[in-house]
Coordinates of all heavy atoms in Angstrom, one line a residue:
M1 N 148.9 36.4 -64.2 CA 149.8 35.4 -63.8 C 149.7 35.2 -62.3 O 149.7 36.2 -61.6 CB 151.2 35.7 -64.2 CG 152.2 34.6 -63.7 SD 153.9 35.2 -64.0 CE 154.4 33.9 -65.0
Q2 N 149.6 34.0 -61.8 CA 149.5 33.7 -60.4 C 150.9 33.9 -59.7 O 151.9 33.6 -60.3 CB 149.0 32.3 -60.1 CG 147.6 32.1 -60.6 CD 147.2 30.7 -60.4 OE1 147.9 29.8 -60.0 NE2 145.9 30.4 -60.6
K3 N 150.8 34.4 -58.5 CA 152.1 34.7 -57.8 C 152.3 33.5 -56.8 O 151.4 33.0 -56.2 CB 151.9 36.0 -57.0 CG 153.2 36.4 -56.3 CD 153.0 37.7 -55.7 CE 154.3 38.2 -55.0 NZ 154.2 39.5 -54.4
S4 N 153.6 33.0 -56.8 CA 153.9 31.9 -55.9 C 154.4 32.5 -54.5 O 155.0 33.5 -54.5 CB 155.0 31.1 -56.5 OG 154.6 30.5 -57.7
Y5 N 154.0 31.8 -53.5 CA 154.5 32.1 -52.1 C 155.2 30.9 -51.5 O 154.8 29.8 -51.8 CB 153.3 32.5 -51.2 CG 152.6 33.7 -51.7 CD1 151.5 33.7 -52.6 CD2 153.0 35.0 -51.3 CE1 150.9 34.8 -53.0 CE2 152.4 36.1 -51.8 CZ 151.3 36.0 -52.6 OH 150.7 37.2 -53.1
F6 N 156.2 31.1 -50.8 CA 156.9 30.0 -50.1 C 156.9 30.2 -48.6 O 157.1 31.4 -48.2 CB 158.4 30.0 -50.7 CG 158.5 29.7 -52.1 CD1 158.6 30.8 -53.0 CD2 158.4 28.4 -52.6 CE1 158.6 30.5 -54.4 CE2 158.4 28.2 -54.0 CZ 158.5 29.2 -54.9
L7 N 156.8 29.1 -47.9 CA 156.9 29.2 -46.4 C 158.3 29.4 -46.0 O 159.2 28.8 -46.6 CB 156.3 27.9 -45.8 CG 154.8 27.7 -46.0 CD1 154.5 26.3 -45.5 CD2 154.0 28.8 -45.3
P8 N 158.6 30.1 -44.9 CA 159.9 30.2 -44.4 C 160.4 28.9 -43.9 O 159.6 28.0 -43.6 CB 159.8 31.2 -43.2 CG 158.5 31.9 -43.4 CD 157.6 31.0 -44.2
D9 N 161.7 28.7 -43.9 CA 162.3 27.4 -43.5 C 161.9 26.9 -42.1 O 161.8 25.8 -41.8 CB 163.8 27.5 -43.6 CG 164.3 27.6 -45.0 OD1 163.6 27.2 -45.9 OD2 165.4 28.1 -45.2
H10 N 161.7 27.9 -41.2 CA 161.4 27.5 -39.8 C 159.9 27.1 -39.6 O 159.5 26.7 -38.5 CB 161.7 28.6 -38.8 CG 160.9 29.9 -39.0 ND1 161.1 30.8 -40.0 CD2 159.8 30.3 -38.3 CE1 160.2 31.7 -39.9 NE2 159.4 31.5 -38.9
V11 N 159.1 27.2 -40.6 CA 157.7 26.8 -40.5 C 157.5 25.4 -40.8 O 158.0 24.9 -41.9 CB 156.8 27.7 -41.4 CG1 155.3 27.2 -41.4 CG2 156.9 29.1 -41.0
S12 N 156.8 24.6 -40.0 CA 156.6 23.2 -40.2 C 155.1 23.0 -40.5 O 154.2 23.1 -39.7 CB 156.9 22.4 -39.0 OG 156.6 21.0 -39.2
A13 N 154.8 22.9 -41.8 CA 153.4 22.7 -42.2 C 153.2 21.3 -42.8 O 153.9 20.9 -43.7 CB 153.0 23.8 -43.3
T14 N 152.2 20.6 -42.3 CA 151.9 19.3 -42.8 C 150.6 19.4 -43.6 O 149.6 19.9 -43.0 CB 151.7 18.3 -41.6 OG1 152.9 18.3 -40.8 CG2 151.4 16.9 -42.1
I15 N 150.6 19.0 -44.8 CA 149.5 19.1 -45.7 C 149.1 17.6 -46.0 O 149.9 16.9 -46.5 CB 149.7 19.9 -46.9 CG1 150.0 21.3 -46.5 CG2 148.6 19.8 -47.9 CD1 150.4 22.3 -47.6
H16 N 147.8 17.3 -45.8 CA 147.3 16.0 -46.2 C 147.3 15.8 -47.7 O 146.8 16.7 -48.4 CB 145.9 15.8 -45.7 CG 145.2 14.6 -46.2 ND1 145.6 13.3 -45.7 CD2 144.2 14.4 -47.1 CE1 144.8 12.4 -46.4 NE2 144.0 13.0 -47.2
R17 N 148.0 14.8 -48.2 CA 148.1 14.5 -49.6 C 147.2 13.3 -49.9 O 147.5 12.2 -49.6 CB 149.5 14.2 -50.0 CG 150.4 15.4 -49.8 CD 151.9 15.0 -49.9 NE 152.2 14.3 -51.1 CZ 153.3 13.6 -51.4 NH1 154.3 13.6 -50.5 NH2 153.5 13.0 -52.5
P18 N 146.0 13.6 -50.5 CA 145.1 12.5 -50.8 C 145.6 11.6 -51.9 O 146.4 12.0 -52.7 CB 143.8 13.2 -51.2 CG 144.3 14.5 -51.8 CD 145.5 14.9 -51.0
A19 N 145.0 10.4 -52.0 CA 145.3 9.5 -53.1 C 144.5 10.0 -54.3 O 143.5 10.6 -54.3 CB 144.8 8.1 -52.7
C20 N 145.1 9.7 -55.5 CA 144.5 10.1 -56.7 C 143.2 9.3 -56.9 O 143.2 8.1 -56.8 CB 145.5 9.7 -57.9 SG 144.7 10.0 -59.5
P21 N 142.1 10.0 -57.2 CA 140.8 9.2 -57.4 C 140.8 8.3 -58.7 O 139.9 7.5 -58.8 CB 139.8 10.4 -57.5 CG 140.5 11.6 -57.9 CD 141.9 11.4 -57.4
Q22 N 141.8 8.5 -59.6 CA 141.8 7.7 -60.8 C 142.7 6.5 -60.6 O 142.3 5.4 -61.0 CB 142.2 8.5 -62.0 CG 141.1 9.5 -62.4 CD 141.5 10.1 -63.8 OE1 142.6 10.0 -64.3 NE2 140.5 10.7 -64.4
C23 N 143.9 6.7 -60.1 CA 144.9 5.5 -60.1 C 145.3 5.1 -58.7 O 145.9 4.1 -58.5 CB 146.1 5.9 -61.0 SG 147.2 7.1 -60.2
G24 N 145.0 6.0 -57.7 CA 145.3 5.6 -56.3 C 146.7 6.0 -55.8 O 147.0 5.8 -54.7
A25 N 147.5 6.6 -56.7 CA 148.8 7.1 -56.3 C 148.7 8.3 -55.4 O 147.7 9.0 -55.4 CB 149.7 7.4 -57.5
L26 N 149.8 8.5 -54.6 CA 149.8 9.7 -53.7 C 150.0 10.9 -54.5 O 150.9 11.0 -55.4 CB 151.0 9.5 -52.7 CG 151.0 10.5 -51.6 CD1 149.8 10.4 -50.7 CD2 152.2 10.3 -50.7
T27 N 149.1 11.9 -54.4 CA 149.2 13.2 -55.1 C 150.1 14.2 -54.5 O 150.6 14.0 -53.4 CB 147.8 13.8 -55.2 OG1 147.3 14.1 -53.9 CG2 146.8 12.9 -56.0
M28 N 150.4 15.2 -55.3 CA 151.3 16.3 -54.8 C 150.6 17.6 -54.9 O 149.8 17.8 -55.8 CB 152.5 16.3 -55.7 CG 153.3 15.1 -55.7 SD 154.8 15.1 -56.8 CE 155.8 16.3 -55.9
L29 N 150.7 18.4 -53.9 CA 150.1 19.7 -53.8 C 150.7 20.6 -54.9 O 151.9 20.8 -55.0 CB 150.3 20.4 -52.5 CG 149.6 21.7 -52.3 CD1 148.1 21.7 -52.4 CD2 150.0 22.3 -51.0
A30 N 149.8 21.2 -55.8 CA 150.3 22.0 -56.9 C 150.0 23.5 -56.6 O 150.8 24.3 -57.0 CB 149.7 21.5 -58.2
R31 N 148.8 23.8 -56.1 CA 148.4 25.2 -55.9 C 147.4 25.3 -54.7 O 146.7 24.4 -54.4 CB 147.6 25.7 -57.2 CG 148.4 26.0 -58.3 CD 147.5 26.4 -59.5 NE 146.7 25.3 -60.1 CZ 147.2 24.3 -60.7 NH1 148.5 24.1 -60.9 NH2 146.4 23.3 -61.2
I32 N 147.5 26.5 -54.1 CA 146.5 26.9 -53.1 C 146.0 28.2 -53.5 O 146.8 29.2 -53.7 CB 147.1 27.0 -51.7 CG1 147.7 25.6 -51.3 CG2 146.1 27.4 -50.7 CD1 148.4 25.6 -49.9
M33 N 144.7 28.3 -53.6 CA 144.0 29.6 -54.0 C 142.9 29.9 -53.0 O 142.2 29.0 -52.6 CB 143.5 29.5 -55.4 CG 144.5 29.3 -56.5 SD 143.8 29.1 -58.1 CE 142.8 30.5 -58.3
P34 N 142.8 31.2 -52.6 CA 141.7 31.5 -51.7 C 140.3 31.3 -52.3 O 140.1 31.5 -53.5 CB 141.9 33.0 -51.4 CG 142.8 33.5 -52.4 CD 143.5 32.3 -53.0
A35 N 139.4 30.8 -51.5 CA 138.0 30.6 -52.0 C 137.1 31.6 -51.4 O 136.5 32.4 -52.1 CB 137.5 29.1 -51.6
R36 N 136.9 31.6 -50.1 CA 136.1 32.6 -49.4 C 136.7 32.6 -48.0 O 137.6 31.8 -47.6 CB 134.7 32.2 -49.4 CG 134.3 30.9 -48.8 CD 132.8 30.7 -48.8 NE 132.4 29.6 -48.0 CZ 132.0 28.4 -48.4 NH1 132.0 28.1 -49.7 NH2 131.7 27.5 -47.6
V37 N 136.2 33.4 -47.1 CA 136.7 33.6 -45.8 C 136.7 32.2 -45.1 O 135.7 31.6 -45.0 CB 136.0 34.6 -45.0 CG1 136.4 34.7 -43.5 CG2 136.1 36.0 -45.6
G38 N 137.9 31.8 -44.6 CA 137.9 30.5 -43.9 C 138.1 29.3 -44.7 O 138.2 28.2 -44.2
F39 N 138.2 29.5 -46.1 CA 138.4 28.3 -47.0 C 139.3 28.6 -48.1 O 139.5 29.8 -48.5 CB 137.0 27.9 -47.6 CG 136.1 27.4 -46.6 CD1 135.2 28.2 -45.9 CD2 136.0 26.0 -46.3 CE1 134.3 27.7 -45.0 CE2 135.1 25.5 -45.4 CZ 134.3 26.4 -44.7
D40 N 140.0 27.6 -48.6 CA 140.8 27.8 -49.8 C 140.7 26.5 -50.7 O 140.2 25.5 -50.3 CB 142.3 28.1 -49.5 CG 143.0 27.0 -48.7 OD1 142.5 25.9 -48.6 OD2 144.1 27.3 -48.2
F41 N 141.0 26.7 -52.0 CA 141.0 25.6 -52.9 C 142.4 25.1 -53.0 O 143.4 25.8 -53.2 CB 140.6 26.1 -54.3 CG 139.1 26.3 -54.5 CD1 138.6 27.5 -54.7 CD2 138.2 25.2 -54.4 CE1 137.3 27.8 -54.9 CE2 136.9 25.5 -54.5 CZ 136.4 26.7 -54.8
R42 N 142.6 23.8 -52.9 CA 143.9 23.1 -53.0 C 143.8 22.2 -54.2 O 142.9 21.4 -54.3 CB 144.3 22.4 -51.8 CG 144.5 23.3 -50.6 CD 145.0 22.6 -49.4 NE 145.1 23.6 -48.3 CZ 145.5 23.3 -47.1 NH1 145.7 22.0 -46.8 NH2 145.6 24.2 -46.2
T43 N 144.8 22.4 -55.1 CA 144.8 21.5 -56.3 C 146.0 20.5 -56.1 O 147.1 20.9 -55.9 CB 145.1 22.4 -57.6 OG1 144.0 23.4 -57.7 CG2 145.1 21.5 -58.8
F44 N 145.6 19.3 -56.2 CA 146.6 18.2 -56.1 C 146.7 17.5 -57.5 O 145.7 17.3 -58.2 CB 146.1 17.2 -55.1 CG 146.1 17.7 -53.7 CD1 144.9 18.3 -53.2 CD2 147.2 17.6 -52.9 CE1 144.9 18.8 -51.9 CE2 147.1 18.1 -51.6 CZ 146.0 18.7 -51.1
E45 N 148.0 17.3 -57.9 CA 148.2 16.6 -59.2 C 148.9 15.3 -58.9 O 149.7 15.1 -58.1 CB 149.1 17.5 -60.0 CG 148.4 18.8 -60.4 CD 149.3 19.7 -61.3 OE1 150.5 19.5 -61.4 OE2 148.8 20.7 -61.7
C46 N 148.5 14.3 -59.8 CA 149.0 13.0 -59.7 C 150.3 12.8 -60.5 O 150.3 13.1 -61.7 CB 148.0 11.9 -60.1 SG 148.6 10.2 -60.1
P47 N 151.4 12.4 -59.9 CA 152.6 12.3 -60.7 C 152.6 11.1 -61.7 O 153.4 11.0 -62.6 CB 153.7 12.1 -59.7 CG 153.0 11.6 -58.5 CD 151.6 12.1 -58.5
Q48 N 151.7 10.1 -61.4 CA 151.6 8.9 -62.3 C 150.7 9.1 -63.5 O 151.1 8.8 -64.6 CB 151.2 7.7 -61.5 CG 152.2 7.2 -60.6 CD 151.8 5.9 -60.0 OE1 150.8 5.3 -60.3 NE2 152.6 5.4 -59.1
C49 N 149.5 9.6 -63.3 CA 148.5 9.7 -64.4 C 148.2 11.2 -64.8 O 147.4 11.4 -65.7 CB 147.2 9.0 -64.1 SG 146.2 9.7 -62.8
A50 N 148.8 12.1 -64.1 CA 148.6 13.6 -64.4 C 147.2 14.1 -64.2 O 146.9 15.2 -64.6 CB 149.1 13.9 -65.9
H51 N 146.4 13.4 -63.4 CA 145.1 13.8 -63.1 C 145.2 15.0 -62.0 O 146.0 14.9 -61.1 CB 144.3 12.7 -62.5 CG 142.9 13.1 -62.0 ND1 141.9 13.4 -62.8 CD2 142.4 13.3 -60.7 CE1 140.8 13.7 -62.1 NE2 141.1 13.7 -60.9
A52 N 144.4 16.0 -62.2 CA 144.4 17.1 -61.2 C 143.1 17.0 -60.5 O 142.0 16.8 -61.0 CB 144.4 18.5 -62.0
H53 N 143.2 17.1 -59.1 CA 142.1 17.0 -58.2 C 142.0 18.2 -57.3 O 143.0 18.6 -56.7 CB 142.3 15.7 -57.4 CG 141.2 15.5 -56.4 ND1 139.9 15.1 -56.8 CD2 141.2 15.5 -55.0 CE1 139.2 14.9 -55.7 NE2 140.0 15.1 -54.6
E54 N 140.9 18.9 -57.3 CA 140.7 20.2 -56.6 C 139.8 20.0 -55.4 O 138.7 19.4 -55.6 CB 140.2 21.3 -57.4 CG 140.3 22.7 -56.8 CD 140.0 23.8 -57.7 OE1 138.8 24.0 -58.0 OE2 140.9 24.4 -58.2
V55 N 140.2 20.4 -54.2 CA 139.3 20.3 -53.0 C 139.2 21.6 -52.3 O 140.2 22.4 -52.3 CB 139.8 19.2 -52.1 CG1 139.7 17.8 -52.7 CG2 141.2 19.4 -51.6
M56 N 138.1 21.8 -51.6 CA 138.0 23.0 -50.8 C 138.3 22.6 -49.4 O 137.8 21.6 -48.9 CB 136.6 23.6 -50.8 CG 136.5 25.0 -50.1 SD 134.9 25.8 -50.0 CE 134.3 25.7 -51.6
V57 N 139.2 23.4 -48.7 CA 139.7 23.0 -47.4 C 139.4 24.2 -46.4 O 139.6 25.3 -46.8 CB 141.2 22.7 -47.4 CG1 141.7 22.4 -46.1 CG2 141.5 21.6 -48.4
A58 N 138.9 23.8 -45.2 CA 138.7 24.9 -44.2 C 140.1 25.3 -43.7 O 140.9 24.5 -43.5 CB 137.8 24.3 -43.1
T59 N 140.2 26.6 -43.5 CA 141.5 27.1 -43.0 C 141.2 28.0 -41.7 O 140.0 28.1 -41.3 CB 142.2 28.0 -44.0 OG1 141.3 29.1 -44.4 CG2 142.6 27.2 -45.3
E60 N 142.2 28.6 -41.2 CA 141.9 29.4 -40.0 C 141.5 30.8 -40.5 O 142.1 31.3 -41.4 CB 143.2 29.5 -39.2 CG 143.4 28.2 -38.4 CD 144.5 28.4 -37.4 OE1 144.8 29.5 -37.0 OE2 145.1 27.3 -37.0
A61 N 140.6 31.4 -39.9 CA 140.1 32.8 -40.2 C 139.7 33.4 -38.9 O 139.1 32.8 -38.0 CB 139.0 32.8 -41.1
F62 N 140.1 34.6 -38.7 CA 139.8 35.4 -37.5 C 140.3 34.7 -36.2 O 139.7 34.7 -35.2 CB 138.2 35.6 -37.4 CG 137.6 36.3 -38.6 CD1 136.8 35.6 -39.4 CD2 138.0 37.6 -38.9 CE1 136.2 36.2 -40.5 CE2 137.4 38.2 -40.0 CZ 136.6 37.6 -40.8
G63 N 141.5 34.1 -36.4 CA 142.1 33.4 -35.2 C 141.4 32.2 -34.7 O 141.7 31.7 -33.7
R64 N 140.6 31.6 -35.5 CA 139.8 30.4 -35.2 C 139.9 29.4 -36.3 O 139.7 29.7 -37.5 CB 138.4 30.8 -34.9 CG 137.5 29.6 -34.5 CD 136.1 30.2 -34.1 NE 135.3 29.0 -34.1 CZ 134.0 29.0 -34.5 NH1 133.5 30.0 -34.9 NH2 133.4 27.9 -34.5
S65 N 140.1 28.1 -36.0 CA 140.1 27.1 -37.0 C 138.7 26.6 -37.3 O 137.9 26.4 -36.4 CB 140.9 25.9 -36.5 OG 140.8 24.9 -37.4
F66 N 138.4 26.5 -38.6 CA 137.1 26.1 -39.0 C 137.1 24.6 -39.4 O 136.1 24.0 -39.7 CB 136.6 26.9 -40.2 CG 136.1 28.2 -39.9 CD1 137.1 29.3 -39.7 CD2 134.8 28.5 -39.6 CE1 136.7 30.5 -39.4 CE2 134.4 29.8 -39.3 CZ 135.3 30.8 -39.2
T67 N 138.2 23.9 -39.2 CA 138.3 22.5 -39.5 C 137.7 21.7 -38.4 O 138.1 21.9 -37.2 CB 139.8 22.1 -39.7 OG1 140.4 22.9 -40.7 CG2 139.9 20.7 -40.1
P68 N 136.8 20.9 -38.7 CA 136.1 20.1 -37.6 C 137.2 19.1 -37.0 O 138.0 18.6 -37.6 CB 135.0 19.3 -38.3 CG 135.3 19.4 -39.7 CD 136.2 20.5 -40.0
P69 N 137.1 18.9 -35.6 CA 138.0 18.0 -35.0 C 137.8 16.6 -35.5 O 136.7 16.2 -35.8 CB 137.7 18.1 -33.5 CG 136.3 18.8 -33.4 CD 136.1 19.5 -34.7
A70 N 138.9 15.9 -35.6 CA 138.9 14.5 -36.1 C 138.5 13.5 -35.0 O 138.6 13.7 -33.9 CB 140.3 14.1 -36.6

């Protein structure tokens, strides 16, 4: 069974919520699972059509962000 983790109230985390690739509705973050060092898998679920969309996202590792600047 997967264990759930919750951020403390004082942490402000903004997570990009992509549009559903099937219907275009705004998805909701359902799960975050580690992939490899510096990356995790984020599963987004659509509240309208129930489609699940998984993406690999660069995270911080070793005190350095691997996400390319926008």
Side-chain angles (χ1 to χ4, degrees):
M1 177 188 239
Q2 294 178 353
K3 186 174 181 180
S4 297
Y5 296 93
F6 299 95
L7 293 173
D9 291 336
H10 66 278
V11 174
S12 175
T14 303
I15 296 175
H16 172 71
R17 294 170 53 191
C20 175
Q22 287 191 346
C23 73
L26 191 61
T27 58
M28 300 178 70
L29 180 64
R31 283 176 293 289
I32 300 177
M33 295 175 53
R36 61 179 192 256
V37 175
F39 293 88
D40 59 17
F41 285 116
R42 293 185 183 176
T43 303
F44 295 90
E45 294 178 352
C46 179
Q48 286 190 6
C49 70
H51 176 75
H53 179 68
E54 191 174 80
V55 294
M56 188 182 316
V57 178
T59 59
E60 289 189 20
F62 304 112
R64 179 175 165 218
S65 176
F66 286 83
T67 305

